[in-house]
Amino acid sequence: MQILVRDNNVDQALRALKKKLQREGVYREMKLRRHFEKPSEKRAREKAAAVRRARKMERKRMERDSAK
């Protein structure tokens, strides 16, 4: 990963770096790896995320169908 510093503006480069890290999920990964997560907890977390994604997709599909 590379961030260019233009015109000695380190603050702007730092902001761009943070945004890239956020987009790639590095902060989320660091938070998850702070403590050991039992395999059962990992499965439950991933299943809950899948349910959230499915509900969100269904909501978007219903919204799109009702607009027609």
Side-chain angles (χ1 to χ4, degrees), residues 26-58:
V26 173
Y27 290 128
R28 190 179 313 118
E29 184 80 18
M30 284 173 26
K31 183 179 176 186
L32 285 173
R33 289 177 185 259
R34 277 196 191 126
H35 303 288
F36 177 75
E37 184 178 30
K38 289 172 38 180
S40 60
E41 292 171 345
K42 182 178 179 181
R43 278 193 305 272
R45 178 179 50 79
E46 288 174 348
K47 186 175 181 181
V51 168
R52 277 194 303 275
R53 279 194 311 272
R55 285 186 182 154
K56 184 177 181 180
M57 284 177 50
E58 183 66 22

Side-chain angles (χ1 to χ4, degrees), residues 3-36:
I3 302 293
L4 298 175
V5 179
R6 295 190 179 128
D7 300 328
N8 247 359
N9 195 346
V10 177
D11 291 331
Q12 186 178 11
L14 188 61
R15 197 165 46 238
L17 174 65
K18 286 181 180 179
K19 193 180 288 188
K20 269 191 179 182
L21 292 173
Q22 180 75 28
R23 238 183 270 130
E24 291 187 11
V26 173
Y27 290 128
R28 190 179 313 118
E29 184 80 18
M30 284 173 26
K31 183 179 176 186
L32 285 173
R33 289 177 185 259
R34 277 196 191 126
H35 303 288
F36 177 75

